[in-house]
Amino acid sequence: MDPGLRLKRVREGLGLRYRDVEHAANIIAKRRKNSDFAVGLSRLADIENRGVIPSLHRLYSLCAIYRIDFEEVLDWYGVDLSGIWADATTVHPPNTHPIDLYEPKVGAVRVPLQLDPGIDFSKTQFLSRIVQRWGNVPLVMLNALDLENARYGMIGWQDTRMSPLLRPGAVVQIDMERRQIASSGWTSEYDRPIYFLELRGGYACCWCNRSGDQLFLQPHHGSPDPPEIVSFSRDVDVIGQVVGVAMHLTPQPSLSSVAEKRARAVSTPR
């Protein structure tokens, strides 16, 4: 059904006339101190009868007046917010940055419900071949992801500071309760804490050493990036410690810049 016609039916179901909607939208515009929230009579008629797409502000006003969910109405117009992060993967920002994952209002997610009972799970398996049945599972059952309390970051596609341990493009989970820089307590590079930091010029994800007010940003020994020294009190905000990672195990097309960066590092004395 045409979204304009849907809006019209909702309005008529509430017993609202055009002038009622115009008056209510004007009140919202005054409360918001922004005339973009106003919905005139002719504009409302065009939205309902001529397929005119309302502006973001007018759509907000109509949703508020009609008591309908804004995200649902966006879906009427072909904007499905549940796919926003899938679409976000088409862009590869060069700088490391935090990302905010949210739980879309879909209520359930597709997961494997039945696996081949003859599979030996002590061995590595190809998941697509052992799933016998897929189904919907309520999102509340995915509490282990801790989307509410955890923060997530993405390693920039040109950030090779922790490569190859953390490849560019990797998504990391950050524990914001672990902000104290540890100076010992690990036996290998895989146990050494990696911290996600906010700096004056952006973000960094790396090993750290602290000496007084100096914080040493230590890259992986296989990285072409040199160590950096910053002021702990003036230049750094420790967001937390990296406790999980999701990344590709094969080189991606966008990583061609990594090879160029390594070549420059080899030719340039430190």
Side-chain angles (χ1 to χ4, degrees):
M1 183 186 298
D2 180 79
L5 182 57
R6 286 190 176 190
L7 290 171
K8 180 178 182 179
R9 290 189 175 182
V10 174
R11 176 182 61 78
E12 292 176 341
L14 293 173
L16 296 173
R17 302 168 300 172
Y18 276 11
R19 292 197 178 278
D20 297 327
V21 176
E22 181 185 46
H23 178 68
N26 285 334
I27 294 176
I28 293 174
K30 289 180 180 179
R31 292 185 68 249
R32 296 285 181 173
K33 297 181 180 180
N34 187 341
S35 61
D36 291 338
F37 288 95
V39 183
L41 297 177
S42 61
R43 178 58 63 182
L44 182 57
D46 289 341
I47 292 171
E48 290 187 353
N49 304 312
R50 294 190 174 183
V52 173
I53 300 176
S55 67
L56 187 65
H57 297 81
R58 291 192 179 107
L59 188 61
Y60 172 92
S61 294
L62 293 178
C63 290
I65 296 167
Y66 298 164
R67 274 76 166 169
I68 50 180
D69 184 74
F70 186 80
E71 185 175 328
E72 179 183 354
V73 178
L74 284 179
D75 191 47
W76 294 355
Y77 283 96
V79 181
D80 181 7
L81 292 183
S82 66
I84 193 168
W85 284 111
D87 292 332
T89 60
T90 62
V91 181
H92 299 156
N95 297 330
T96 297
H97 54 282
I99 56 179
D100 293 316
L101 299 181
Y102 72 98
E103 182 176 317
K105 295 182 179 180
V106 293
V109 65
R110 299 283 291 178
V111 298
L113 290 184
Q114 184 176 344
L115 304 179
D116 186 343
I119 293 296
D120 181 2
F121 284 97
S122 66
K123 300 178 181 179
T124 301
Q125 303 290 343
F126 184 35
L127 181 61
S128 299
R129 293 181 179 175
I130 66 175
V131 177
Q132 293 185 338
R133 184 165 63 93
W134 290 81
N136 293 329
V137 170
L139 288 174
V140 69
M141 297 181 66
L142 302 181
N143 288 333
L145 294 179
D146 198 17
L147 297 180
E148 180 179 357
N149 298 314
R151 288 288 304 275
Y152 296 82
M154 179 177 177
I155 306 301
W157 286 91
Q158 294 181 10
D159 187 345
T160 56
R161 188 181 272 110
M162 288 303 295
S163 183
L165 188 61
L166 296 182
R167 290 180 178 270
V171 174
V172 295
Q173 181 181 357
I174 307 162
D175 186 346
M176 295 186 295
E177 298 297 323
R178 303 183 185 183
R179 302 179 63 187
Q180 189 72 28
I181 302 297
S183 58
S184 61
W186 58 86
T187 57
S188 71
E189 65 176 33
Y190 299 103
D191 298 327
R192 184 174 181 178
I194 301 174
Y195 298 94
F196 201 93
L197 314 169
E198 183 173 4
L199 307 176
R200 286 180 177 269
Y203 296 88
C205 185
C206 59
W207 292 322
C208 295
N209 289 319
R210 184 179 177 184
S211 177
D213 193 50
Q214 288 187 323
L215 186 68
F216 296 80
L217 309 185
Q218 179 64 48
H220 189 272
H221 51 75
S223 168
D225 295 291
E228 297 179 53
I229 301 176
V230 295
S231 171
F232 185 82
S233 60
R234 297 195 310 268
D235 302 328
V236 180
D237 182 15
V238 181
I239 296 179
Q241 180 180 329
V242 173
V243 294
V245 60
M247 66 180 181
H248 289 281
L249 295 180
T250 57
Q252 301 300 298
S254 299
L255 300 184
S256 58
S257 59
V258 175
E260 297 174 359
K261 198 170 185 179
R262 290 183 183 276
R264 290 197 301 269
V266 171
S267 61
T268 304
R270 297 186 179 179

